[in-house]
Structures are given as structure tokens and as C-alpha cells.
Amino acid sequence: LHHWQDRHASLVGKLLLKRALKMFGYPENVLNDIRYSQNGKPYIDSSLDFNLSHTRKHVLCAISRIPSNKQKFLRFLQKKIA
């Protein structure tokens, strides 16, 4: 029923993400570098975590740097799982 609202919210989310990433020092065309993990989660690089979400009236863009100790832990887990 609300396909155009979902498309609009998705676009707003991407624009918010682009602006936030620019504040973190990423280049203007950073959205071209988005990749997807095996389970479908989008990512840019291992030092950054972000999430986009929306409802009918609100769009959320959350972004943060991943602390280096968390990166080490994630690498440790990846080695244990592999």
C-alpha cells in the first residue's frame, strides 16, 4: 500500500547516510563503495558500523566507529568460525 513512502524513506535514509559518512571523512561518492556481507548486511569497511531504518513518518541513520578492540574480537571470532 505504501510503496512510494517506502521508496521515499529509503532515499532519505541514503541521503542521511551520505551526509553522516562525509562527516566521518569519507568521499562524496562513498555510497558506491557499499558492499554486502553473506547475510545481506551492508557495510563500507571494517572500522565503521551503520544502520538505516524507517517507519511511516521517521527515518533513522545510526553510524559509529567500531573500537579497535571490537575489531580484534571480531577477527578472533572469524578465525574460530572458519
Side-chain angles (χ1 to χ4, degrees):
L1 292 171
H2 304 287
H3 295 296
W4 72 268
Q5 290 100 330
D6 287 339
R7 288 193 303 269
H8 185 260
S10 178
L11 176 61
V12 170
K14 287 179 183 175
L15 292 173
L16 287 172
L17 177 61
K18 183 177 176 179
R19 178 175 283 186
L21 291 171
K22 188 174 180 184
M23 292 172 60
F24 276 81
Y26 285 84
E28 190 74 25
N29 63 347
V30 67
L31 296 184
N32 296 333
D33 296 333
I34 292 179
R35 292 173 179 50
Y36 295 88
S37 68
Q38 289 180 345
N39 60 355
K41 180 165 175 39
Y43 70 95
I44 293 173
D45 62 40
S46 63
S47 69
L48 194 79
D49 196 15
F50 68 89
N51 192 11
L52 300 174
S53 184
H54 67 85
T55 64
R56 288 185 188 174
K57 295 182 180 182
H58 303 283
V59 178
L60 170 78
C61 174
I63 186 168
S64 69
R65 290 244 184 245
I66 298 174
S68 60
N69 58 350
K70 183 177 178 184
Q71 288 179 7
K72 290 176 187 176
F73 180 69
L74 291 174
R75 283 194 295 270
F76 170 78
L77 287 179
Q78 288 172 345
K79 288 178 184 177
K80 290 292 185 186
I81 293 171

